[in-house]
Amino acid sequence: MKKTMLILLFVAIILPQSHSQEKEKTTIVVDKFKLEPTGRIYVDVAKYFKDKTPLSSGAAFGDIRLGTKFSLGDKWGGKIEFGFAKSKISYKDIFLRYNFEQSSYIRLGNYTEPFGLEYVDSSAGNKFVTSSSVSQTFAGKRNLGFEYVGWSDKFWYAGGIFADSKMASGTNLGNQGYAFSSRVVFNPLREEGKLFHIAAAGTYRKSDAPGFQYDDNDNVIGELPRSISFSSNSETVVETRKFINSKVNKAKDQFKYNFEFIGAVGPLYTQMEYYKAHVRREESSLKSYNAEGAYGQVGFLATGGGYRYDKSWGRMLRPGPGTWEFLVRYSWVDLNDSKSEIYGGKQNDVSAAVNYYYSKYLIFRLNYTNVGLDNSSLIGKERFNAVSLRIQMIIN
């Protein structure tokens, strides 16, 4: 706790200075090679109220990242970034990119699959302290893959093939899983304060084999059954337990799809997503597993003009420096499926947020969240409240 308070003090002293230096260049240029630092530090503080089960009020690093973006001329570029939160090093964005023209490129490496608006938006662009519980449960994660991305006057589209998560970590035993993921956006209105965006995405995934089966002489006789899991936290990162969690054993493969909507008129904005997951099992006697969820949120810019859009990513842009933003979000996830007799729990939550965009590099986010859990959750039927604060420092 003392270390966290020292970091909070450090951020409060240093960042006002960076506000006055925003226009200074941080790019290193050698001939046609350009190098820019990237990184972020999120400091989170959370307090839980009226909980029957003891919950972990306190402070934590929501994220720590350090890396660099690079480019060589107009065609080649990439990014190398590692995470350092939770006292361990993890892969983040590590990829090489080739630009065909100003509106299309391919990339190879480790990055987020094109599935789910909030994960395409990333934590730097999400408007709450965490992404919604439904996005945490179903959206695409970072995996090693190859992807094509393009956009035109009214469309954005991406598709790729990806390995499952263990390839990047080098810990896989048994045959590797793989996935095909794609996202298509229709966005005919992209003016400031005048936005319309609808999208659909889908992913097919065959998960990793967890290892091999051996006979008495230690000879490999087959693979262990595959499994697929779904889970979410309670929309804060200080309490790390995931109260809804389903594990589908003997899983053959899964298919997920998603629908998105964004609309904005002047300083008013709304965003919605719906997810559905279907998991097939390896044995005909086992029923397929189905789960779903959705969220909807509305926002208002009290200062700073209208909402803006990034056509090259098919997502929202962050409001500019000096902007105050107010939002409300409702989210629900249902991991209970009576047909397959898998009960992972059901969660619904309501969140309210106040955001202050102090500068390009520093954002303050204050959230109130009311979380409801059913009898199948990890801690049984319960409803509790949380107040969380995030100080979000971003470099490029």
Side-chain angles (χ1 to χ4, degrees):
M1 185 66 180
K2 290 181 179 179
K3 291 182 179 180
T4 302
M5 295 308 296
L6 288 173
I7 292 171
L8 288 171
L9 180 61
F10 172 80
V11 171
I13 293 173
I14 296 298
L15 265 295
Q17 298 177 21
S18 71
H19 178 62
S20 63
Q21 299 172 359
E22 282 185 14
K23 295 183 180 180
E24 293 184 5
K25 293 183 178 180
T26 58
T27 306
I28 299 173
V29 181
V30 179
D31 194 12
K32 293 184 179 181
F33 183 74
K34 297 181 181 180
L35 199 67
E36 298 179 73
T38 67
R40 62 187 63 172
I41 298 175
Y42 299 167
V43 179
D44 291 343
V45 180
K47 175 65 177 176
Y48 298 89
F49 301 93
K50 295 182 179 179
D51 48 298
K52 294 185 296 184
T53 303
L55 301 176
S56 303
S57 297
F61 285 114
D63 201 0
I64 303 174
R65 298 188 198 179
L66 184 64
T68 182
K69 294 189 294 186
F70 59 89
S71 63
L72 180 61
D74 296 329
K75 294 294 185 181
W76 292 95
K79 188 176 182 180
I80 301 174
E81 191 172 66
F82 294 90
F84 300 91
K86 300 179 182 178
S87 301
K88 64 180 181 180
I89 299 175
S90 60
Y91 296 106
K92 296 300 181 181
D93 289 334
I94 303 177
F95 61 82
L96 182 66
R97 169 173 163 169
Y98 178 79
N99 302 311
F100 290 111
E101 50 191 54
Q102 290 185 345
S103 59
S104 67
Y105 62 85
I106 57 173
R107 60 177 174 172
L108 172 67
N110 192 71
Y111 47 86
T112 304
E113 296 181 26
F115 183 74
L117 176 58
E118 288 190 296
Y119 271 69
V120 171
D121 211 12
S122 85
S123 63
N126 287 172
K127 296 181 176 299
F128 291 78
V129 168
T130 72
S131 58
S132 65
S133 55
V134 63
S135 293
Q136 293 180 50
T137 305
F138 299 113
K141 305 299 191 292
R142 282 183 173 83
N143 285 308
L144 190 63
F146 177 80
E147 176 186 42
Y148 173 81
V149 178
W151 60 94
S152 62
D153 183 47
K154 296 180 180 180
F155 289 93
W156 184 98
Y157 37 89
I161 182 171
F162 298 86
D164 215 334
S165 56
K166 292 184 180 179
M167 175 173 270
S169 64
T171 60
N172 54 294
L173 292 172
N175 287 329
Q176 192 98 112
Y178 58 88
F180 299 96
S181 298
S182 63
R183 177 174 178 250
V184 178
V185 178
F186 177 58
N187 47 17
L189 297 178
R190 301 187 301 223
E191 302 174 19
E192 180 175 344
K194 194 176 181 180
L195 305 177
F196 180 83
H197 159 125
I198 57 172
T203 182
Y204 168 83
R205 178 174 298 280
K206 187 174 180 64
S207 62
D208 286 331
F212 297 111
Q213 292 178 318
Y214 298 88
D215 62 17
D216 294 337
N217 297 317
D218 292 331
N219 297 313
V220 175
I221 58 175
E223 291 181 337
L224 293 171
R226 300 169 187 262
S227 64
I228 291 175
S229 298
F230 301 94
S231 62
S232 174
N233 67 28
S234 54
E235 298 199 359
T236 67
V237 299
V238 175
E239 170 58 66
T240 59
R241 286 174 293 176
K242 297 184 177 182
F243 300 130
I244 57 171
N245 193 325
S246 63
K247 184 176 182 179
V248 187
N249 292 314
K250 296 185 178 180
K252 182 178 181 181
D253 52 23
Q254 68 168 312
F255 176 72
K256 298 186 293 186
Y257 61 86
N258 153 278
F259 297 106
E260 310 168 8
F261 172 77
I262 295 174
V265 178
L268 299 173
Y269 142 94
T270 186
Q271 177 175 312
M272 292 176 280
E273 287 191 85
Y274 170 79
Y275 289 87
K276 178 81 173 185
H278 176 76
V279 181
R280 297 191 300 172
R281 317 285 288 278
E282 291 178 341
E283 297 179 5
S284 58
S285 60
L286 298 174
K287 297 289 186 179
S288 296
Y289 172 76
N290 292 280
E292 63 181 341
Y295 77 87
Q297 63 192 44
V298 294
F300 172 70
L301 296 179
T303 60
Y307 281 96
R308 299 175 300 137
Y309 189 83
D310 183 351
K311 66 179 182 180
S312 65
W313 281 97
R315 66 184 185 188
M316 300 290 290
L317 284 168
R318 290 197 300 272
T323 300
W324 284 92
E325 182 180 35
F326 299 86
L327 302 110
V328 176
R329 177 175 70 192
Y330 175 74
S331 177
W332 64 271
V333 181
D334 189 356
L335 299 184
N336 297 325
D337 183 13
S338 59
K339 292 183 179 179
S340 63
E341 298 183 344
I342 296 175
Y343 298 92
K346 187 174 182 179
Q347 176 175 319
N348 63 84
D349 38 72
V350 179
S351 297
V354 179
N355 299 326
Y356 178 56
Y357 298 84
Y358 176 79
S359 73
K360 177 182 177 181
Y361 306 107
L362 181 62
I363 303 168
F364 297 91
R365 302 191 189 277
L366 179 64
N367 285 191
Y368 162 79
T369 303
N370 178 271
V371 179
L373 301 167
D374 75 348
N375 289 320
S376 300
S377 77
L378 178 65
I379 56 177
K381 188 172 184 178
E382 188 165 344
R383 183 166 291 277
F384 58 86
N385 302 282
V387 175
S388 53
L389 169 68
R390 167 167 287 181
I391 298 177
Q392 185 169 321
M393 183 172 68
I394 303 169
I395 305 171
N396 286 332

